[in-house]
Amino acid sequence: MAADLNIFITEETIEGGDAEGDDAPLADVTLAVKDNISTAGIRTTCGSEMLADYVPPYSATVVDRLTEAGATVVGKTNMDQFGMGTTTETSAFGPTRNPVDTDRVPGGSSGGSAAAVAAGEADIALGSDTGGSVRCPAAFCGVVGIKPTYGLVSRYGLVAYANSLEQIGPIAGTVEEAAAALDVMAGPDPNDGTTRDLSEVEGADPDASYAAAADGDVEGMTVGVPTELFEGADERVVETVEDALADLEAQGAETTEISLPSVEHAVQAYYVIAMAEASSNLARFDGVRYGHRSESDGNWNESFAETRDEGFGAEVKRRILLGTYALSAGYHDKYYEKAQDARAWVRRDFEDAFDDVDVIASPTMPVLPFELGESLDDPLRMYLADANTTPVNLANLPAVSVPAGEADGLPVGLQLVGPKFDEETIVRAASAVEDE
Amino acid sequence: MSDTAASDDGDGPAVDAEEVRHVAELARVRLDDDEVDEFAAQFGDILEYFEALDEVPETEREEELVNVMRPDEIEEGLSQEAALRNADETEDGFFVGPKVS
């Protein structure tokens, strides 16, 4: 079964630590790890030929924390090459299939991780979310995915794609299980200067227990429903999400229509910023210190260019080139600076909205899972599918995708976004959705 | 999509093969001719879509940035052997790169 779905790139085990009692909240839990998260001694390919034989000398902080808490790593999961994609079809190791419907994609870029949970191959899986890459596959595979607030979870050991946007997040079958993993993963890391100590963050609760927040109690909670994130979405998706919101109301939550005018520009801003950061981050892949190296006998520049031609797939080249273009002389102000303006605008829009509501709800993905091959030749179409998830990364906010139900037998995800470092509220709201 | 981003400012989104080759050279990525043509066609669409950013109002950016410092103390790092282990070619404890010119 698993082989047909192409969930794992590498199946090797890291045994969980022998912690006991309160120190072992994840004893007997199996963990699948996206293949852009480093595992000492186990190859970490990023779904790319470039790193097909790369074996990291250290593990990511999140992997150490989860295994110390008792979790056993069972394998490294398939992904869009370097995290660039919305379908897990850009992997150099072939596409992953959606366990719910094997003619369809599992979403991306953490498609292998979501499929591992949906297929019962792991209890918890780690993904990375730069523009929606945890929430999208969670939605398409009918499981739960949490994208934490920027700075809550260490990125040490995550192979960088777009540093200012990405966070590692847990995927699981239930909100409580995902939240329990987040409890273990979260917290400051001396190896990542962008992690925050919650005791120093105004309004944050350093003693928060995310798993305990999965109590389903939404009595009196206000849920903002932004019209912009429903416009243009597939009708079947909208109906399923509206039913889930009606269920929340029946449980005592109050929904109210809100407007986030800035989100209309989020996808453009996201791709400009992500591609710009990618063009810089991926400059490290020159084949000299690690990674694929071409047989070229040319000079440094020729050898470098040939190595990168052979090692990178089409989507990766596309983003490096567009990022280089957007940062180049004459275009920097037109694209990159404007994208930063849009980012600030999105952030302010959300802040204003959270003056009035506790969480913001929308479809996670505006579409049902794509059929395999459907979007590959049309990158712009694939980018547009990220309309509802990218604003969250631009604003550095926490969000969860929880199954809202099915349409035509396919899973539909409901996205709940919260204020910065208020993971407890989105977990609470999401747990009420899955109770129905 | 195409109607949201029409541009007539001269340096609009049309991208020719020459431009793709130039950017590929800056990015140190060799492309074959098929890829150049494919990217030139796709970049036109994608950059035209990005033009919608022109509608974004100038926004005051309040970055919440703080300096993160740690004591300047010697810590354990990778051994030389571990650092070299993934390299294709090494010599006397060094990485061997391509020739410089």
Side-chain angles (χ1 to χ4, degrees), chain A residues 23-44:
Chain A
D23 291 333
L26 302 180
D28 304 322
V29 166
T30 53
L31 173 70
V33 178
K34 187 178 184 181
D35 211 25
N36 61 351
I37 298 172
S38 302
T39 39
I42 298 178
R43 73 170 179 154
T44 298

Side-chain angles (χ1 to χ4, degrees), chain A residues 163-237:
Chain A
N163 318 47
S164 81
L165 297 159
E166 59 204 1
Q167 279 282 288
I168 297 173
I171 297 170
T174 67
V175 174
E176 189 175 0
E177 286 172 288
L182 186 60
D183 277 320
V184 173
M185 294 157 64
D189 176 9
N191 285 326
D192 177 357
T194 63
T195 53
R196 301 291 298 276
D197 182 342
L198 291 195
S199 62
E200 292 166 9
V201 176
E202 202 188 316
D205 176 7
D207 301 318
S209 166
Y210 307 124
D215 57 13
D217 180 9
V218 290
E219 183 70 48
M221 188 183 284
T222 51
V223 181
V225 183
T227 47
E228 293 87 355
L229 298 185
F230 286 73
E231 283 165 11
D234 185 305
E235 264 178 42
R236 296 166 293 178
V237 170

Side-chain angles (χ1 to χ4, degrees), chain A residues 25-383:
Chain A
L26 302 180
D28 304 322
V29 166
T30 53
L31 173 70
V33 178
K34 187 178 184 181
D35 211 25
N36 61 351
I37 298 172
S38 302
T39 39
I42 298 178
R43 73 170 179 154
T44 298
T45 70
C46 290
S48 178
E49 281 295 333
M50 186 63 88
L51 291 176
D53 301 312
Y54 171 66
V55 179
Y58 61 89
S59 285
T61 300
V62 290
V63 171
D64 283 339
R65 286 188 180 171
L66 290 164
T67 52
E68 278 162 22
T72 294
V73 174
V74 294
K76 303 297 293 293
T77 58
N78 201 6
M79 57 180 282
D80 279 303
Q81 197 162 144
F82 285 101
M84 300 178 186
T86 306
T87 64
T88 310
E89 291 171 292
T90 74
S91 169
F93 301 91
T96 295
R97 289 170 181 272
N98 191 325
V100 179
D101 178 344
T102 55
D103 291 332
R104 293 183 185 262
V105 303
S109 64
S110 313
S113 288
V117 172
E121 297 285 330
D123 301 315
I124 295 169
L126 293 181
S128 63
D129 191 314
T130 311
S133 284
V134 162
R135 290 161 284 156
C136 163
F140 279 6
C141 293
V143 294
V144 177
I146 301 176
K147 181 262 169 203
T149 306
Y150 189 82
L152 184 70
V153 172
S154 171
R155 287 179 296 112
Y156 180 72
L158 171 68
V159 179
Y161 156 26
N163 318 47
S164 81
L165 297 159
E166 59 204 1
Q167 279 282 288
I168 297 173
I171 297 170
T174 67
V175 174
E176 189 175 0
E177 286 172 288
L182 186 60
D183 277 320
V184 173
M185 294 157 64
D189 176 9
N191 285 326
D192 177 357
T194 63
T195 53
R196 301 291 298 276
D197 182 342
L198 291 195
S199 62
E200 292 166 9
V201 176
E202 202 188 316
D205 176 7
D207 301 318
S209 166
Y210 307 124
D215 57 13
D217 180 9
V218 290
E219 183 70 48
M221 188 183 284
T222 51
V223 181
V225 183
T227 47
E228 293 87 355
L229 298 185
F230 286 73
E231 283 165 11
D234 185 305
E235 264 178 42
R236 296 166 293 178
V237 170
V238 171
E239 273 173 28
T240 311
V241 166
E242 282 175 346
D243 284 351
L245 291 176
D247 285 338
L248 278 183
E249 281 185 324
Q251 295 178 67
E254 185 192 325
T255 62
T256 174
E257 206 168 278
I258 62 168
S259 178
L260 297 169
S262 66
V263 301
E264 306 279 1
H265 294 84
V267 173
Q268 298 99 304
Y270 163 75
Y271 276 100
V272 169
I273 292 169
M275 288 170 176
E277 292 186 20
S279 72
S280 167
N281 272 318
L282 271 60
R284 73 189 59 178
F285 297 103
D286 57 10
V288 175
R289 289 147 301 145
Y290 44 78
H292 172 77
R293 180 161 174 181
S294 82
E295 300 288 329
S296 162
D297 56 1
N299 69 26
W300 194 289
N301 284 342
E302 290 156 359
S303 167
F304 195 161
E306 206 158 317
T307 288
R308 291 156 65 79
D309 175 33
E310 293 167 7
F312 290 144
E315 186 58 36
V316 176
K317 289 180 198 172
R318 195 148 40 228
R319 294 194 192 191
I320 290 174
L321 263 54
L322 282 164
T324 304
Y325 184 87
L327 290 176
S328 64
Y331 296 106
H332 182 273
D333 288 352
K334 182 177 175 59
Y335 296 111
Y336 187 74
E337 286 300 314
K338 276 290 166 195
Q340 294 292 9
D341 279 338
R343 183 173 193 169
W345 186 23
V346 169
R347 189 181 304 173
R348 206 188 53 199
D349 246 5
F350 273 107
E351 274 168 17
D352 291 349
F354 285 126
D355 287 343
D356 301 321
V357 300
D358 298 313
V359 297
I360 294 173
S362 74
T364 307
M365 299 302 290
V367 292
L368 292 170
F370 297 112
E371 288 179 23
L372 282 156
E374 196 182 336
S375 68
L376 267 191
D377 295 331
D378 187 356
L380 190 53
R381 175 162 184 230
M382 186 172 77
Y383 301 165

